[in-house]
Amino acid sequence: MPRNTLTKDQIIRTAVELLDDEGLEGLNMRSLGKRLDSAATAVYWHVKNKDDLVQLVGDEVWDEIELADPEAVGWRSAIMSMAVGLREMCVRHPWLVQAFGSYLFYGPAKARYDDHCLAVYEGAGFTPPEADRAAAGVFTFVLGNVLGTAATASLTRRLSRDDGDPDQRLADFMAKAREVAEAYPRLRSRLESPSAEFGAAPDDTFTHGLHTLLDGYEHQLTARRAS
C-alpha cells in the first residue's frame, strides 16, 4: 500500500490486530508493514516510532468501553458497569496489561473514560480527592484481576515459538505446580475437589471483589451523611 493511501487509522486498527495475535513482543514496523501490504518505511510517515505507535494503539482501545449513565442506573451500578467493561477490554487485548508496565498511556479515549469515572464519583458525593482514590482503587483492582489472563496469553505465545509441543509443555508445567501444591494442606484439599483446576480462581472472584470494594466506598458516603 503506497504511503499516500495509507492512513493513521488503518495503521492503528491493523496494529491492534497484530498486538492481539502476537502480543507486545511481536509488534515491529516490519511485521506491521507486511500486514498493511506496505513498506515499513511508509508507516514512519504517520507514526514516529514503536513507542509512539503503542501509545496511539493503547489509547484507541479505551473507546471500546461504554460509559454508563449514573442518572439512569445509579452511581454504583455505573461504576460496576464501567469496571466490567474495562476488564472485558483488557481480556480482549491482554497486551495492554503488559504495556502498563513499560508505557504511560494518555490520550482522548482514556481521558474520556477517566473523566467520566471521576464525574460519577463526585456526583455520588465524594470529594475530588476521594474520587481520585476511589477511581484508582477500582482501576488497580481490575488490572490485578486480568494479570493472570495476560500472563497466560504471553506464555502460550512464547511456548508456541519455541521447539516442541506448547500444549505438552504447559501441561508439564501445571503438573509440576500441582506437585508443589500437594505439600500444603489447604492447597491439597482444593486440588482434591472434583472440579479443581490448579491456579484457577472461583468464577465469581471478580464480581465478589468489586462488590466488596464498592461496599466500602458506599459505607464512607453513608457514614458521612449520618454524621
Side-chain angles (χ1 to χ4, degrees):
M1 186 180 294
R3 69 174 175 83
N4 60 345
T5 62
L6 193 62
T7 68
K8 183 177 285 189
D9 285 344
Q10 288 173 321
I11 291 171
I12 291 173
R13 288 196 302 270
T14 304
V16 171
E17 295 170 1
L18 175 58
L19 283 162
D20 289 347
D21 292 341
E22 303 293 337
L24 201 61
E25 64 276 15
L27 178 66
N28 57 67
M29 295 306 188
R30 180 176 296 180
S31 58
L32 179 59
K34 185 176 180 180
R35 286 205 177 208
L36 288 163
D37 192 25
S38 174
T41 52
V43 177
Y44 286 107
W45 283 91
H46 300 275
V47 294
K48 293 183 294 185
N49 49 43
K50 179 178 176 179
D51 285 359
D52 184 43
L53 179 60
V54 172
Q55 179 64 58
L56 290 168
V57 175
D59 186 63
E60 176 78 10
V61 294
W62 287 81
D63 264 335
E64 297 177 10
I65 306 172
E66 183 177 352
L67 303 185
D69 180 5
E71 297 294 330
V73 300
W75 77 266
R76 179 167 173 152
S77 293
I79 293 298
M80 191 81 166
S81 173
M82 289 188 293
V84 170
L86 174 59
R87 179 178 183 269
E88 291 174 346
M89 183 269 282
C90 288
V91 169
R92 285 193 299 273
H93 310 297
W95 52 267
L96 183 63
V97 182
Q98 282 181 281
F100 279 130
S102 305
Y103 297 86
L104 293 175
F105 288 102
Y106 62 89
K110 185 176 185 301
R112 160 186 167 271
Y113 177 88
D114 290 342
D115 188 76
H116 190 73
C117 284
L118 294 175
V120 173
Y121 285 117
E122 291 181 11
F126 292 96
T127 65
E130 290 170 341
D132 292 345
R133 289 192 294 270
V138 170
F139 174 74
T140 54
F141 171 76
V142 174
L143 191 61
N145 187 268
V146 296
L147 277 175
T149 300
T152 299
S154 179
L155 176 63
T156 301
R157 283 193 303 269
R158 182 162 60 83
L159 292 178
S160 297
R161 287 192 293 267
D162 295 341
D163 293 334
D165 182 352
D167 291 335
Q168 184 59 52
R169 291 188 63 187
L170 189 58
D172 292 343
F173 168 83
M174 297 301 289
K176 291 177 181 177
R178 288 180 64 98
E179 184 178 342
V180 171
E182 289 281 357
Y184 298 88
R186 291 169 186 80
L187 295 180
R188 184 171 61 250
S189 69
R190 283 154 177 78
L191 291 173
E192 291 169 353
S193 169
S195 60
E197 180 181 349
F198 181 79
D203 291 338
D204 64 347
T205 296
F206 176 75
T207 302
H208 172 77
L210 185 56
H211 273 299
T212 301
L213 188 59
L214 296 182
D215 283 346
Y217 292 172
E218 193 162 27
H219 177 74
Q220 292 177 26
L221 290 178
T222 302
R224 177 185 302 157
R225 290 166 184 154
S227 59

